[in-house]
Amino acid sequence: MTFSWKRVNAIFQKDFKEFSRNMAVSVVVLLPILMAAIFSRMGMDPLVNGNFTIGFALTMVGSYVQCCLIAEEKERNTLRGLMLSPANTYEILGGKSALSFVLTMIVAIVSVMLAEYTPANVPVLLLGLALCAIFFIGLGTLLGLIAKSVMESSVIVLPVILLFSMGTAIESFSDKYPIFSVIEYIPNLQLLELATRIDAGAGFGEVWSHLGIIALWSVVIYIITAIIYRKQMID
């Protein structure tokens, strides 16, 4: 079966209509923007504020919103209908991720603007941001498929938000506890390192490894998500 952008667009439009009617989920989108504006008025350093709110947008919009939307589809049995439709796995996962991707990118960019952070190399940072968004949306999709209800999805996604939001704090323990050194390889900390290096004058050739690590995370999470999705198709 060939990949159809028409089917992906139909799923995207369906999700947009449902998202716009779900105030409990759609209001979450405004939180990173609000945080960026508040921290900026408090005089927080633009680089710190920008990267914090980017991470908040990735977890809250990319993972939390996506997880809740997928779980809601499962709870209403409409996801089962999609599984039985002519759309294949990639079209469904792509269509279900498209809205969260657009929202995540918009919220992250607006948050950066409100934080008054101006990256030295915008294209490279946008590429890193897009790769991170893909990972966190994939993670949200995976958790949404595992959750049995919307209520459960909002609970199981919280540890993920805390882990990735507090990654910098956890990383500080790596000198005393070497096991925590692996935290530095999580996508949002790789994005932070990338932003710090390009602001110090690094070019694409010096930060490609960070992009590669983020891309690897994204590929792995979607492979796992596709496996879980296909397993649920035959259950």
Side-chain angles (χ1 to χ4, degrees):
M1 185 183 294
T2 57
F3 188 88
S4 171
W5 285 107
K6 186 175 181 179
R7 284 192 283 262
V8 172
N9 184 54
I11 296 172
F12 172 83
Q13 291 186 32
K14 169 183 169 294
D15 280 358
F16 179 75
K17 290 177 182 177
E18 292 177 353
F19 170 81
S20 61
R21 292 194 295 262
N22 191 336
M23 293 301 296
V25 175
S26 57
V27 73
V28 173
V29 173
L30 300 176
L31 290 180
I33 296 175
L34 182 61
M35 296 285 280
I38 292 173
F39 289 151
S40 177
R41 300 303 179 272
M42 291 173 60
M44 181 181 285
D45 178 78
L47 175 60
V48 176
N49 189 5
N51 283 285
F52 174 79
T53 50
I54 284 175
F56 198 50
L58 290 170
T59 53
M60 292 302 295
V61 183
S63 292
Y64 181 84
V65 170
Q66 179 73 356
C67 181
C68 290
L69 290 176
I70 295 293
E72 186 178 30
E73 289 270 19
K74 284 185 62 181
E75 197 170 49
R76 293 185 303 164
N77 288 321
T78 51
L79 185 61
R80 176 66 64 179
L82 279 175
M83 290 177 174
L84 298 175
S85 72
N88 61 37
T89 301
Y90 306 106
E91 290 166 351
I92 294 172
L93 291 180
K96 299 299 295 180
S97 301
L99 176 62
S100 293
F101 180 81
V102 172
L103 289 174
T104 302
M105 294 298 291
I106 291 174
V107 170
I109 291 171
V110 172
S111 298
V112 167
M113 293 172 64
L114 288 174
E116 299 178 355
Y117 167 51
T118 306
N121 193 325
V122 174
V124 173
L125 185 63
L126 281 177
L127 177 57
L129 177 60
L131 290 173
C132 269
I134 291 171
F135 166 78
F136 280 99
I137 292 166
L139 184 59
T141 304
L142 176 61
L143 294 174
L145 289 171
I146 294 172
K148 297 178 181 177
S149 65
V150 176
M151 182 68 71
E152 185 176 321
S153 72
S154 62
V155 173
I156 66 173
V157 78
L158 288 179
V160 174
I161 294 172
L162 289 174
L163 173 64
F164 288 99
S165 298
M166 297 176 61
T168 306
I170 297 173
E171 188 184 18
S172 64
F173 290 100
S174 61
D175 291 337
K176 188 174 181 180
Y177 305 102
I179 191 173
F180 288 122
S181 61
V182 298
I183 292 293
E184 67 182 84
Y185 293 102
I186 63 176
N188 56 319
L189 289 189
Q190 287 293 308
L191 183 64
L192 173 59
E193 180 64 21
L194 182 148
T196 303
R197 294 189 65 183
I198 61 175
D199 281 349
F204 178 80
E206 297 170 273
V207 299
W208 68 268
S209 59
H210 300 295
L211 295 171
I213 292 172
I214 299 171
L216 182 60
W217 275 98
S218 301
V219 170
V220 170
I221 200 66
Y222 269 97
I223 289 174
I224 297 172
T225 300
I227 292 172
I228 297 299
Y229 175 84
R230 288 174 177 173
K231 183 178 182 298
Q232 294 199 4
M233 287 182 67
I234 59 176
D235 284 346

